[in-house]
Amino acid sequence: VIPHTNGTYDLGRPNNRWNMVYATASKAVYADLAEKYLADMEYPVGTVMMVGGYKEVTACTSKAKAIGVVSGHPAYLMNYELDGGTPIALKGRVPVKVCGSVKKGDHLGCGDNGMAVVSSEHIFGISLEDFDGDIGVVEAVIL
């Protein structure tokens, strides 16, 4: 265990890693499971993503199938060492960019420009709060 001046600790080092960690439980401050993917450009947190573009993922378009949402603070990040990768929340609670009015409990699907819309097709999430406006952000759970 290596203490830092800011009161945090690391287990191991980049070139001196622990092989196995045995634990009963762990906790996370944040609430999503994310994986890094190569995006065709840099996207803000909350952007709804789909497979496509000239790399692996791009902002969703209307009625497409979303794979997840750009995450700002994943609780667990897979594929961590992918250079230039964008963390995409695959499960859990994250902010999601929306277009149009949304009510708590509404199913979310892909709209244009990386935004979610209320939908009954290709549902990727459920809104956890209301939004009444044109463009905004809601907290949602990714299914």
Coordinates of all heavy atoms in Angstrom, one line a residue, residues 22-87:
Y22 N -8.7 -10.7 -3.5 CA -9.8 -11.4 -2.9 C -10.5 -10.5 -1.9 O -9.9 -9.9 -1.0 CB -9.3 -12.7 -2.1 CG -8.7 -13.7 -3.0 CD1 -7.3 -13.6 -3.3 CD2 -9.5 -14.6 -3.7 CE1 -6.7 -14.5 -4.2 CE2 -8.9 -15.5 -4.6 CZ -7.5 -15.5 -4.8 OH -6.9 -16.4 -5.6
A23 N -11.8 -10.3 -2.1 CA -12.5 -9.4 -1.2 C -13.9 -9.9 -1.0 O -14.5 -10.6 -1.8 CB -12.6 -8.0 -1.8
T24 N -14.6 -9.4 0.1 CA -15.9 -9.8 0.4 C -16.9 -8.8 -0.3 O -17.9 -9.2 -0.9 CB -16.2 -9.7 1.9 OG1 -15.3 -10.7 2.5 CG2 -17.6 -10.1 2.2
A25 N -16.5 -7.5 -0.3 CA -17.4 -6.5 -1.0 C -16.6 -5.3 -1.3 O -15.5 -5.1 -0.8 CB -18.5 -6.1 0.0
S26 N -17.1 -4.5 -2.2 CA -16.5 -3.3 -2.6 C -17.6 -2.2 -2.8 O -18.8 -2.6 -2.9 CB -15.6 -3.4 -3.8 OG -16.4 -3.7 -4.9
K27 N -17.2 -1.0 -2.8 CA -18.2 0.1 -3.0 C -17.7 1.1 -4.0 O -16.5 1.1 -4.3 CB -18.4 0.9 -1.7 CG -18.9 0.1 -0.5 CD -19.0 1.0 0.7 CE -19.5 0.2 1.9 NZ -19.5 1.0 3.1
A28 N -18.6 1.8 -4.7 CA -18.2 2.8 -5.7 C -19.0 4.1 -5.4 O -20.2 4.0 -5.0 CB -18.5 2.2 -7.1
V29 N -18.4 5.2 -5.7 CA -19.1 6.5 -5.5 C -20.0 6.7 -6.7 O -21.1 7.2 -6.6 CB -18.0 7.6 -5.5 CG1 -18.7 9.0 -5.5 CG2 -17.2 7.4 -4.2
Y30 N -19.6 6.2 -7.9 CA -20.4 6.4 -9.1 C -21.2 5.2 -9.4 O -21.1 4.2 -8.7 CB -19.5 6.8 -10.3 CG -18.7 8.0 -9.9 CD1 -17.3 8.0 -9.7 CD2 -19.3 9.3 -9.8 CE1 -16.6 9.1 -9.3 CE2 -18.6 10.4 -9.5 CZ -17.2 10.3 -9.2 OH -16.5 11.4 -8.9
A31 N -22.1 5.2 -10.4 CA -23.1 4.2 -10.6 C -23.3 3.6 -11.9 O -24.3 3.1 -12.3 CB -24.5 4.8 -10.2
D32 N -22.2 3.5 -12.7 CA -22.4 2.8 -14.0 C -21.2 1.9 -14.3 O -20.1 2.1 -13.8 CB -22.6 3.8 -15.1 CG -21.4 4.7 -15.4 OD1 -21.1 5.6 -14.7 OD2 -20.7 4.4 -16.4
L33 N -21.5 0.9 -15.1 CA -20.5 0.0 -15.7 C -20.2 0.4 -17.1 O -21.1 0.5 -17.9 CB -21.1 -1.4 -15.7 CG -20.3 -2.5 -16.5 CD1 -19.2 -3.0 -15.6 CD2 -21.2 -3.5 -17.0
A34 N -19.0 0.8 -17.4 CA -18.6 1.3 -18.7 C -17.5 0.5 -19.3 O -16.7 -0.1 -18.6 CB -18.2 2.8 -18.6
E35 N -17.4 0.7 -20.6 CA -16.2 0.1 -21.4 C -15.8 1.1 -22.4 O -16.6 1.9 -22.9 CB -16.7 -1.2 -22.1 CG -15.6 -1.8 -22.9 CD -16.0 -3.1 -23.6 OE1 -17.2 -3.5 -23.5 OE2 -15.1 -3.7 -24.3
K36 N -14.4 1.2 -22.6 CA -13.9 2.1 -23.5 C -14.0 1.6 -25.0 O -13.8 0.4 -25.2 CB -12.4 2.3 -23.3 CG -12.1 3.3 -22.2 CD -10.6 3.6 -22.2 CE -10.3 4.8 -21.4 NZ -8.8 5.1 -21.4
Y37 N -14.5 2.5 -25.9 CA -14.6 2.2 -27.3 C -13.9 3.3 -28.0 O -13.9 4.5 -27.5 CB -16.1 2.1 -27.7 CG -16.8 0.9 -27.2 CD1 -17.4 0.8 -26.0 CD2 -16.9 -0.3 -28.0 CE1 -18.1 -0.3 -25.5 CE2 -17.5 -1.4 -27.6 CZ -18.1 -1.4 -26.3 OH -18.8 -2.5 -25.9
L38 N -13.5 3.1 -29.3 CA -12.9 4.1 -30.1 C -14.1 4.9 -30.8 O -14.8 4.3 -31.6 CB -12.0 3.5 -31.1 CG -10.7 2.8 -30.6 CD1 -9.9 2.2 -31.7 CD2 -9.9 3.8 -29.8
A39 N -14.2 6.1 -30.5 CA -15.2 7.0 -31.1 C -14.6 7.8 -32.3 O -13.4 8.1 -32.3 CB -15.8 7.9 -30.0
D40 N -15.5 8.2 -33.2 CA -15.1 8.9 -34.4 C -14.7 10.4 -34.1 O -14.2 11.1 -34.9 CB -16.1 8.8 -35.5 CG -17.5 9.2 -35.2 OD1 -17.7 9.6 -34.0 OD2 -18.3 9.1 -36.0
M41 N -15.1 10.8 -32.9 CA -14.7 12.2 -32.4 C -14.9 12.2 -30.9 O -15.4 11.3 -30.3 CB -15.5 13.3 -33.1 CG -17.0 13.2 -33.0 SD -17.9 14.5 -33.9 CE -17.6 15.9 -32.8
E42 N -14.6 13.3 -30.3 CA -14.8 13.5 -28.9 C -16.3 13.9 -28.6 O -16.8 14.8 -29.3 CB -13.9 14.6 -28.3 CG -13.7 14.5 -26.8 CD -12.6 15.4 -26.4 OE1 -11.5 15.3 -26.9 OE2 -12.8 16.2 -25.4
Y43 N -16.9 13.2 -27.7 CA -18.3 13.5 -27.4 C -18.5 13.9 -25.9 O -17.8 13.3 -25.0 CB -19.2 12.3 -27.7 CG -19.3 11.9 -29.1 CD1 -18.5 10.9 -29.7 CD2 -20.2 12.6 -29.9 CE1 -18.6 10.6 -31.0 CE2 -20.3 12.3 -31.3 CZ -19.5 11.3 -31.8 OH -19.6 11.0 -33.2
P44 N -19.5 14.8 -25.6 CA -19.7 15.2 -24.2 C -20.4 14.1 -23.5 O -21.1 13.2 -24.0 CB -20.6 16.4 -24.3 CG -21.2 16.4 -25.7 CD -20.2 15.6 -26.6
V45 N -20.3 14.1 -22.1 CA -21.0 13.2 -21.3 C -22.5 13.2 -21.5 O -23.0 14.3 -21.8 CB -20.7 13.5 -19.8 CG1 -21.6 12.7 -18.8 CG2 -19.2 13.3 -19.5
G46 N -23.1 12.1 -21.6 CA -24.6 12.0 -21.8 C -25.0 11.8 -23.2 O -26.1 11.5 -23.5
T47 N -24.0 11.8 -24.2 CA -24.3 11.5 -25.6 C -24.6 10.1 -25.8 O -23.9 9.2 -25.3 CB -23.1 11.9 -26.5 OG1 -22.8 13.3 -26.2 CG2 -23.4 11.7 -27.9
V48 N -25.7 9.8 -26.4 CA -26.2 8.4 -26.7 C -25.4 7.9 -27.9 O -25.3 8.6 -28.9 CB -27.7 8.4 -27.0 CG1 -28.1 6.9 -27.2 CG2 -28.5 9.0 -25.8
M49 N -24.8 6.7 -27.8 CA -23.9 6.2 -28.8 C -24.4 4.9 -29.4 O -25.1 4.1 -28.8 CB -22.5 5.9 -28.1 CG -21.9 7.1 -27.5 SD -21.5 8.5 -28.6 CE -20.0 7.8 -29.4
M50 N -24.0 4.7 -30.7 CA -24.3 3.5 -31.4 C -23.1 3.0 -32.1 O -22.1 3.8 -32.3 CB -25.4 3.8 -32.4 CG -25.0 4.7 -33.6 SD -26.4 5.0 -34.7 CE -25.5 5.4 -36.2
V51 N -23.1 1.8 -32.6 CA -22.0 1.3 -33.4 C -22.0 1.9 -34.7 O -23.1 2.0 -35.3 CB -22.1 -0.3 -33.5 CG1 -21.0 -0.8 -34.5 CG2 -21.9 -1.0 -32.2
G52 N -20.9 2.5 -35.2 CA -20.9 3.1 -36.5 C -19.8 4.2 -36.6 O -19.0 4.3 -35.7
G53 N -19.8 5.0 -37.6 CA -18.8 6.0 -37.8 C -17.6 5.4 -38.4 O -17.6 4.2 -38.8
Y54 N -16.5 6.1 -38.5 CA -15.3 5.5 -39.1 C -14.4 4.8 -38.1 O -13.4 4.3 -38.5 CB -14.5 6.6 -39.9 CG -13.9 7.7 -39.1 CD1 -12.6 7.6 -38.6 CD2 -14.6 8.9 -38.8 CE1 -12.0 8.5 -37.8 CE2 -14.0 9.9 -38.1 CZ -12.7 9.7 -37.6 OH -12.2 10.7 -36.8
K55 N -14.8 4.8 -36.9 CA -14.1 4.0 -35.9 C -15.1 2.9 -35.4 O -15.8 2.3 -36.2 CB -13.5 4.8 -34.8 CG -12.4 5.7 -35.3 CD -11.5 6.2 -34.2 CE -10.3 7.0 -34.8 NZ -9.5 7.6 -33.8
E56 N -15.2 2.8 -34.0 CA -16.1 1.8 -33.5 C -17.5 2.3 -33.2 O -18.5 1.7 -33.5 CB -15.6 1.1 -32.2 CG -14.3 0.3 -32.5 CD -13.7 -0.2 -31.2 OE1 -13.8 0.5 -30.1 OE2 -13.1 -1.3 -31.3
V57 N -17.6 3.5 -32.6 CA -18.8 4.1 -32.2 C -19.0 5.6 -32.7 O -18.0 6.2 -32.9 CB -19.0 4.0 -30.7 CG1 -19.1 2.6 -30.2 CG2 -18.0 4.7 -29.9
T58 N -20.2 6.0 -32.7 CA -20.6 7.4 -33.1 C -21.8 7.8 -32.4 O -22.5 6.9 -31.8 CB -20.7 7.5 -34.6 OG1 -20.8 8.9 -35.0 CG2 -21.9 6.7 -35.2
A59 N -22.2 9.0 -32.4 CA -23.4 9.5 -31.9 C -24.6 8.9 -32.6 O -24.6 8.7 -33.8 CB -23.5 11.0 -32.0
C60 N -25.7 8.5 -31.8 CA -26.8 7.8 -32.4 C -27.6 8.7 -33.3 O -27.5 9.9 -33.3 CB -27.7 7.3 -31.3 SG -28.7 8.5 -30.4
T61 N -28.3 8.1 -34.2 CA -29.3 8.7 -35.1 C -30.7 8.1 -34.8 O -30.8 7.1 -34.2 CB -28.9 8.5 -36.6 OG1 -28.9 7.0 -36.8 CG2 -27.5 9.1 -36.9
S62 N -31.7 8.8 -35.3 CA -33.0 8.4 -35.0 C -33.3 6.9 -35.3 O -33.0 6.4 -36.4 CB -34.0 9.3 -35.8 OG -35.3 9.0 -35.5
K63 N -33.9 6.3 -34.4 CA -34.4 4.9 -34.4 C -33.3 3.9 -34.6 O -33.5 2.7 -34.9 CB -35.4 4.7 -35.5 CG -36.6 5.6 -35.3 CD -37.7 5.3 -36.3 CE -38.9 6.2 -36.0 NZ -40.1 5.9 -36.7
A64 N -32.0 4.3 -34.3 CA -30.9 3.3 -34.3 C -30.9 2.5 -33.0 O -31.7 2.8 -32.1 CB -29.6 4.1 -34.4
K65 N -30.0 1.5 -32.9 CA -29.9 0.8 -31.7 C -28.7 1.3 -30.9 O -27.5 1.2 -31.3 CB -29.7 -0.7 -32.0 CG -30.9 -1.4 -32.6 CD -30.6 -2.8 -32.8 CE -31.8 -3.5 -33.5 NZ -31.6 -4.9 -33.7
A66 N -29.0 1.9 -29.7 CA -27.9 2.4 -28.9 C -27.1 1.3 -28.2 O -27.7 0.3 -27.8 CB -28.5 3.3 -27.8
I67 N -25.8 1.5 -28.0 CA -25.0 0.6 -27.2 C -24.8 1.1 -25.8 O -24.5 0.4 -24.8 CB -23.7 0.2 -27.8 CG1 -22.8 1.4 -27.9 CG2 -23.9 -0.5 -29.1 CD1 -21.3 0.9 -28.0
G68 N -25.0 2.4 -25.6 CA -24.8 3.1 -24.3 C -24.7 4.6 -24.4 O -25.0 5.2 -25.4
V69 N -24.2 5.2 -23.3 CA -24.1 6.6 -23.2 C -22.7 7.0 -22.7 O -22.1 6.3 -21.9 CB -25.1 7.1 -22.2 CG1 -25.1 8.6 -22.0 CG2 -26.5 6.7 -22.7
V70 N -22.1 8.1 -23.2 CA -20.8 8.5 -22.8 C -20.9 8.8 -21.3 O -21.7 9.6 -20.8 CB -20.4 9.8 -23.6 CG1 -19.0 10.3 -23.0 CG2 -20.2 9.5 -25.0
S71 N -19.9 8.2 -20.6 CA -19.9 8.3 -19.1 C -18.8 9.3 -18.7 O -17.7 9.3 -19.2 CB -19.6 6.9 -18.5 OG -19.4 7.0 -17.1
G72 N -19.1 10.0 -17.6 CA -18.1 11.0 -17.1 C -17.3 10.4 -16.0 O -16.2 10.7 -15.8
H73 N -18.0 9.5 -15.2 CA -17.3 8.9 -14.0 C -17.8 7.5 -13.8 O -18.6 7.2 -12.9 CB -17.7 9.8 -12.7 CG -17.3 11.2 -12.8 ND1 -16.0 11.6 -12.7 CD2 -18.1 12.3 -13.1 CE1 -16.0 12.9 -12.9 NE2 -17.2 13.4 -13.1
P74 N -17.3 6.6 -14.6 CA -17.7 5.2 -14.4 C -17.3 4.6 -13.0 O -16.2 4.9 -12.6 CB -17.0 4.4 -15.5 CG -16.1 5.4 -16.2 CD -16.3 6.7 -15.6
A75 N -18.2 3.8 -12.5 CA -17.9 3.1 -11.2 C -16.9 2.0 -11.5 O -16.0 1.7 -10.7 CB -19.2 2.6 -10.6
Y76 N -17.1 1.4 -12.7 CA -16.2 0.3 -13.1 C -15.9 0.5 -14.6 O -16.9 0.6 -15.4 CB -16.8 -1.1 -12.9 CG -15.9 -2.2 -13.2 CD1 -14.9 -2.6 -12.3 CD2 -16.0 -2.9 -14.4 CE1 -14.0 -3.6 -12.7 CE2 -15.1 -3.9 -14.7 CZ -14.2 -4.3 -13.9 OH -13.3 -5.3 -14.2
L77 N -14.7 0.6 -15.0 CA -14.3 0.8 -16.4 C -13.5 -0.4 -16.9 O -12.5 -0.7 -16.5 CB -13.5 2.1 -16.5 CG -13.0 2.5 -17.9 CD1 -14.2 2.7 -18.8 CD2 -12.1 3.7 -17.8
M78 N -14.1 -1.0 -17.9 CA -13.5 -2.1 -18.6 C -12.7 -1.6 -19.8 O -13.0 -0.5 -20.3 CB -14.5 -3.1 -19.1 CG -15.4 -3.7 -18.0 SD -16.6 -4.9 -18.5 CE -17.7 -3.9 -19.4
N79 N -11.7 -2.4 -20.3 CA -10.9 -2.0 -21.4 C -10.1 -0.7 -21.1 O -9.9 0.1 -22.0 CB -11.7 -1.9 -22.7 CG -10.9 -2.2 -23.9 OD1 -9.8 -2.7 -23.9 ND2 -11.5 -1.9 -25.1
Y80 N -9.8 -0.6 -19.9 CA -9.2 0.7 -19.4 C -8.0 1.2 -20.2 O -7.8 2.4 -20.3 CB -8.8 0.5 -17.9 CG -8.0 1.6 -17.3 CD1 -8.7 2.7 -16.9 CD2 -6.6 1.5 -17.1 CE1 -8.0 3.8 -16.3 CE2 -5.9 2.6 -16.5 CZ -6.6 3.7 -16.1 OH -5.9 4.7 -15.6
E81 N -7.1 0.3 -20.6 CA -5.9 0.7 -21.3 C -6.0 1.0 -22.8 O -5.0 1.3 -23.4 CB -4.8 -0.4 -21.1 CG -4.4 -0.5 -19.6 CD -3.3 -1.5 -19.4 OE1 -3.0 -2.3 -20.3 OE2 -2.7 -1.5 -18.3
L82 N -7.2 1.0 -23.3 CA -7.4 1.3 -24.7 C -7.1 2.8 -25.0 O -7.7 3.7 -24.5 CB -8.9 1.1 -25.2 CG -9.2 1.5 -26.6 CD1 -8.4 0.6 -27.6 CD2 -10.7 1.3 -26.9
D83 N -6.0 3.1 -25.7 CA -5.6 4.4 -26.0 C -6.6 5.2 -26.8 O -7.1 4.7 -27.8 CB -4.2 4.4 -26.8 CG -3.0 4.0 -25.9 OD1 -3.1 4.2 -24.6 OD2 -2.0 3.6 -26.4
G84 N -7.0 6.3 -26.4 CA -7.9 7.2 -27.1 C -9.4 6.7 -27.0 O -10.2 7.2 -27.7
G85 N -9.6 5.8 -26.1 CA -11.0 5.3 -26.0 C -11.9 6.2 -25.2 O -11.5 7.0 -24.4
T86 N -13.2 6.1 -25.5 CA -14.2 6.9 -24.8 C -15.0 5.9 -23.9 O -15.5 4.9 -24.4 CB -15.2 7.5 -25.9 OG1 -14.5 8.4 -26.7 CG2 -16.3 8.3 -25.2
P87 N -15.2 6.3 -22.6 CA -15.9 5.4 -21.8 C -17.4 5.5 -22.1 O -18.0 6.5 -22.1 CB -15.6 5.9 -20.4 CG -15.2 7.3 -20.5 CD -14.6 7.4 -21.9

